[in-house]
Amino acid sequence: MIISAHVGAGALIGTALRRPLPAFAAGFASHLAMDMVPHWGTGPGLGWIPVARRDGVAGLAAMGILTVAAPPGRRLALLAGMSGACLPDTDKIGIYFVGRSPWPRRFDRFHGRIQRESADLLPRDVLVAATLSATAIGLLQLLGRSRPARP
């Protein structure tokens, strides 16, 4: 699953849960659940790098936009949900940059076994990412408008 989709899911989780620790934990769990659904991927090797570069920038942009869109009282939980949702994929960053995953081998094996990757699902993953982030922005805008006016 592309990281942008995990960002959108984590944003919705953080917005709904409103508390950072549960949002972080649920975001992490959502990552694993999403990885069990068929999604884009190239399997072993570095064929994912060109897409990952673009997706990483899009994911960071989405995190920034979502954070700015969030009412101040929901930002920490939102950031926690998004961070938890992205954290499991730090294995790929570690392997690419330093040759080693930051996770214990047991977790890496588990994370690898649950993947349901297919090289032809990128368009669908982009649509999922955009839908999740747009939904989160819409929800945050509604929540921002529902704040009581200050005297």
Side-chain angles (χ1 to χ4, degrees):
M1 188 68 63
I2 60 175
I3 205 67
S4 298
H6 292 300
V7 167
L12 286 170
I13 289 166
T15 301
L17 294 183
R18 301 179 66 170
R19 292 183 28 236
L21 223 45
F24 183 85
F28 192 94
S30 79
H31 181 108
L32 300 176
M34 289 172 77
D35 277 355
M36 288 189 258
V37 172
H39 60 278
W40 177 82
T42 60
L46 298 177
W48 55 273
I49 295 295
V51 173
R53 286 183 180 140
R54 290 178 183 94
D55 181 42
V57 171
L60 283 172
M63 288 178 92
I65 292 166
L66 287 157
T67 302
V68 169
R74 293 189 185 249
R75 282 190 185 134
L76 190 56
L78 175 91
L79 284 165
M82 292 187 295
S83 298
C86 294
L87 192 61
D89 277 347
T90 55
D91 61 344
K92 293 164 187 69
I93 295 167
I95 291 166
Y96 182 72
F97 285 106
V98 296
R100 184 176 186 286
S101 168
W103 296 99
R105 271 184 268 173
R106 188 175 183 167
F107 180 80
D108 282 339
R109 283 192 303 270
F110 167 75
H111 191 209
R113 275 194 314 270
I114 66 171
Q115 299 295 320
R116 301 292 176 258
E117 296 181 342
S118 175
D120 61 347
L121 292 177
L122 184 58
R124 191 199 65 187
D125 281 8
V126 170
L127 181 62
V128 167
T131 301
L132 289 169
S133 290
T135 302
I137 288 172
L139 180 59
L140 289 167
Q141 287 178 337
L142 283 173
L143 293 169
R145 278 187 246 145
S146 67
R147 283 184 281 174
R150 292 186 179 162

